[in-house]
Amino acid sequence: MNTRAGYERQNLTGEFAYSSFVPSSLPPNPSVVLDAEGVELLVAAHRQLALLEGLAARIPNMELFVSMYVRKEALLSSQIEGTQATLEDVLDPLVDVNVNRDVADVVNYIRATEFALRRRRELPLCSRLIREMHGVLMEGVRGQEKYPGEFRRTQNWIGGAGSTLKNARYIPPNVEDMNAAMSALETYMNAEDTLDPLIRTALVHYQFETIHPFLDGNGRIGRLLITLFLMEQNLLSTPALYISYFLKQNRIEYYDRMTEVRRTGNYEQWILFFLRAVAVSAADAVAAIDCLHALHEKNVGVLTDGTNKKQRTTLTKLFSYLEAHPMIEVKKTAEALGTSYNAVSRAVAVLIEKGILEQQAQVGKTRIYSYAEYLEILRGDT
């Protein structure tokens, strides 16, 4: 198999012989050419991203929404890999003590995202940053024996449970080719290119997944790269896009489209799928932010109605905290707000009375309360 996207290399001999894929460097040669549908999708994706950016600049509490979006994208991206966790699991105020293996995966993805957003101020998008992100993603969770923070030193392959090199669905580049391909990808991510930045983002994600430089966690790091590259290209100023919802909904097509590039060299059909994913995901994000903002405005009005000035101060502090932590328990919340337990307890009672908070559960003596309407909007796609 020798296509525009790469070729098969024969490795070892005799009964140990196998072939691995060697990806061609980006950009594709001959260059990407979009048909009329592709151009239309490209325009639509840019339009939706511009709308999302406009909202981000206009809404005063956008940072709070973004912190929730990071959690949502982490959850959805992990669910693609088969992680069994819910939004409530991830937002549980007792997550430190209730954490299980699946929730730990999502929590680490959140940490890796937050780490990458900070670190990109000091480093360009490069192999070093990617390895550091991977180190955070795999810290203390399953797969941690698979060289967290390091590119693989052995051959890996993709296939069902129990598959081997003999019957694998896909065998990424051998270690030597993988290191060369990652070096070329790093160069491409930081080079000038005449291709549209959204097309480049599609190519970067495909290429990373094809190289598969880690023994575990490639899918999650590859999807995190989408957000980081869009920010690097100044198409996003915040990680408010949760593209993993579309990719999860269309999981089989997602994998099949990347396989098709390797099989035939047809990058264009993958780019069309990716542009659709961006357009739909950005439109979803815009709709959700509109709903969250409307809910915020409505409840700010409810809070100021019929409360005295002293009580209103605590209620406002608690309400702001809720928009970043929509599931709470009183003790932890009082500590976070630097307010007495009793004051928070009284404020919680007022918010229940006003229909903003609901008691969700009781764990031992600890009562968990949730900002149910807010959670309902966020839960939409999970």
Side-chain angles (χ1 to χ4, degrees):
M1 183 166 73
N2 191 345
T3 73
R4 172 191 184 200
Y7 63 92
E8 297 281 345
R9 182 188 296 290
Q10 296 305 311
N11 300 279
L12 306 180
T13 54
E15 62 174 308
F16 300 110
Y18 71 93
S19 59
S20 58
F21 188 71
V22 183
S24 302
S25 295
L26 296 176
N29 183 21
S31 189
V32 168
V33 179
L34 293 185
D35 59 11
E37 184 196 2
V39 172
E40 206 175 296
L41 278 170
L42 183 63
V43 171
H46 272 292
R47 190 190 310 117
Q48 292 298 342
L49 277 180
L51 273 174
L52 185 55
E53 274 298 275
L55 266 185
R58 219 170 54 237
I59 290 182
N61 46 347
M62 189 64 196
E63 271 180 38
L64 295 170
F65 296 154
V66 167
S67 79
M68 296 311 303
Y69 272 43
V70 165
R71 284 158 177 74
K72 185 165 177 170
E73 172 63 15
L75 177 65
L76 290 162
S77 188
S78 302
Q79 284 175 345
I80 292 173
E81 309 296 325
T83 295
Q84 303 291 315
T86 66
L87 194 62
E88 282 81 356
D89 292 331
V90 177
L91 297 172
D92 185 347
L94 305 178
V95 70
D96 299 341
V97 290
N98 287 346
V99 76
N100 63 37
R101 211 168 69 167
D102 283 334
V103 176
D105 279 349
V106 184
V107 169
N108 271 21
Y109 191 107
I110 295 164
R111 287 182 184 141
T113 305
E114 289 169 344
F115 169 84
L117 293 172
R118 287 193 306 271
R119 197 74 170 103
R120 68 181 282 273
R121 295 176 198 142
E122 300 148 17
L123 283 176
L125 267 185
C126 60
S127 292
R128 180 180 168 188
L129 176 60
I130 290 168
R131 285 196 303 268
E132 288 180 5
M133 281 154 46
H134 185 260
V136 178
L137 180 74
M138 304 307 290
E139 190 182 352
V141 296
R142 58 183 157 188
Q144 62 173 323
E145 71 287 351
K146 296 180 178 174
Y147 308 118
E150 293 179 50
F151 290 151
R152 57 185 164 87
R153 299 197 282 268
T154 55
Q155 183 65 63
N156 58 353
W157 61 90
I158 296 170
S163 62
T164 65
L165 276 171
K166 293 288 181 198
N167 59 6
R169 201 164 60 244
Y170 169 61
I171 302 174
N174 68 31
V175 173
E176 189 181 336
D177 291 332
M178 175 270 292
N179 281 314
M182 278 307 296
S183 178
L185 178 59
E186 179 178 318
T187 301
Y188 179 73
M189 287 192 296
N190 292 285
E192 294 294 315
D193 190 352
T194 53
L195 284 173
D196 183 275
L198 273 178
I199 295 174
R200 292 190 69 197
T201 310
L203 294 172
V204 165
H205 179 67
Y206 157 78
Q207 192 80 344
F208 181 83
E209 295 304 324
T210 292
I211 297 167
H212 239 63
F214 299 111
L215 290 180
D216 196 7
N218 292 288
R220 285 165 289 167
I221 293 293
R223 286 185 288 278
L224 182 44
L225 265 183
I226 293 172
T227 300
L228 295 175
F229 195 73
L230 287 172
M231 292 177 78
E232 204 75 12
Q233 297 294 307
N234 298 315
L235 291 179
L236 276 183
S237 55
T238 61
L241 188 76
Y242 47 97
I243 196 166
S244 291
Y245 172 52
F246 185 93
L247 300 180
K248 181 189 161 195
Q249 268 192 319
N250 301 278
R251 187 166 170 250
I252 293 169
E253 186 181 358
Y254 170 38
Y255 294 143
D256 284 352
R257 294 261 186 180
M258 288 195 282
T259 300
E260 184 66 9
V261 180
R262 294 187 282 265
R263 200 175 65 79
T264 64
N266 184 345
Y267 288 94
E268 284 80 2
Q269 53 80 36
W270 155 252
I271 290 165
L272 259 59
F273 173 79
F274 183 83
L275 292 174
R276 195 175 298 116
V278 171
V280 170
S281 304
D284 278 353
V286 166
I289 290 171
D290 276 341
C291 290
L292 289 170
H293 187 58
L295 182 65
H296 170 87
E297 294 299 304
K298 180 192 92 171
N299 285 333
V300 164
V302 169
L303 285 181
T304 52
D305 188 28
T307 52
N308 62 52
K309 195 175 177 184
K310 188 182 174 190
Q311 188 185 43
R312 201 176 304 149
T313 307
T314 310
L315 286 175
T316 305
K317 274 170 83 175
L318 176 57
F319 183 65
S320 292
Y321 184 77
L322 274 178
E323 288 191 308
H325 310 83
M327 290 174 67
I328 61 165
E329 56 92 13
V330 174
K331 185 167 179 281
K332 225 175 170 180
T333 306
E335 286 166 6
L337 296 179
T339 309
S340 75
Y341 181 96
N342 288 343
V344 171
S345 198
R346 283 193 298 272
V348 164
V350 172
L351 291 188
I352 289 173
E353 192 187 313
K354 288 180 178 289
I356 294 172
L357 268 184
E358 289 178 11
Q359 185 177 328
Q360 177 114 351
Q362 188 155 338
V363 183
K365 290 181 179 177
T366 306
R367 290 177 182 175
I368 311 289
Y369 302 95
S370 73
Y371 186 3
E373 283 181 288
Y374 192 91
L375 276 175
E376 194 53 42
I377 295 166
L378 281 174
R379 199 188 292 117
D381 310 322
T382 63

